[in-house]
Amino acid sequence: MKRQYAVIGLGRFGGSICRALSDQGMEVLGIDMDEDRVNEYSSIATHTVIADSTDEGVLKNLGIRNFEHVIVAIGENLQSSILTTLILKDMGVSKITVKAQNDYHERVLLKIGADRIIHPERDMGIRIAHQVVSRNVLDYLELSDEYSIVEMAAGEKMSGKSLQEMNIRAKYGCNVVAVKRSNEVIVSPHADQKVEEGDVLIVIGGEKDISRLEKDLMA
């Protein structure tokens, strides 16, 4: 069976999630109060419906509790976002991901039981800042307040050296979890794995540790 998702709020963020899930072959229910948005995604999502997600009766009639994952992507209306999340939690939805507008909004969402909070604008800003500052950082994902995972392009200083020679784990406290070379991906590379200029290293570590690694070895 296809996995079933519901996306509440079909603005830019919710709409992009709806489209991406549909592209991956998932069953997606798109919900929004705006008729034009619902019509826009009617040919993309499996089902779309004009509905007020703050009405518990409406959500029950849609069978929302049967969806394994509900994404609340409501835009500027914090009250609707919070109330929708609370209703979903009370109905027993197994996994709820919510878009937060700010830290206060996030704290409230966590208190009422949201499983995952997303700050799309903030997170994208962080990623872009890392890419702008460093010509070697290709992508950046914050895993927590302390740890991140980064895709780095190996510089000339790394060429021909093994991971052991560079002593990345001991010296920088970072782990190279994969090496991408052309169309090949070397997962959990051994210590004797040689690195070539232009390879992409997927590195996990603390923010400061990753910065030191990038500064010392990637230039």
Side-chain angles (χ1 to χ4, degrees), residues 69-73 81-90 93-100 104-119:
H69 197 153
V70 179
I71 297 99
V72 181
S81 170
I82 292 166
L83 185 53
T84 298
T85 304
L86 187 59
I87 293 170
L88 293 171
K89 191 67 180 178
D90 286 345
V93 173
S94 57
K95 191 167 185 181
I96 306 168
T97 294
V98 190
K99 172 188 176 182
Y104 168 76
H105 189 196
E106 176 179 11
R107 289 201 301 272
V108 174
L109 292 170
L110 289 172
K111 283 183 181 295
I112 62 176
D115 297 292
R116 186 183 178 195
I117 311 298
I118 297 173
H119 294 263

Side-chain angles (χ1 to χ4, degrees), residues 16-30:
S16 65
I17 291 178
C18 181
R19 188 183 300 275
L21 289 171
S22 297
D23 288 346
Q24 293 179 53
M26 306 300 172
E27 286 195 9
V28 185
L29 169 65

Side-chain angles (χ1 to χ4, degrees), residues 141-181:
L141 177 65
E142 188 179 62
L143 299 177
S144 70
D145 290 339
E146 296 180 9
Y147 293 97
S148 303
I149 187 164
V150 182
E151 285 192 354
M152 292 179 166
E156 187 178 349
K157 288 183 179 179
M158 282 187 160
S159 186
K161 295 181 180 178
S162 69
L163 297 176
Q164 187 173 35
E165 286 178 276
M166 290 181 284
N167 209 17
I168 290 175
R169 182 181 296 178
K171 189 173 181 182
Y172 299 97
C174 298
N175 287 300
V176 178
V177 296
V179 177
K180 294 200 291 188
R181 180 176 298 157

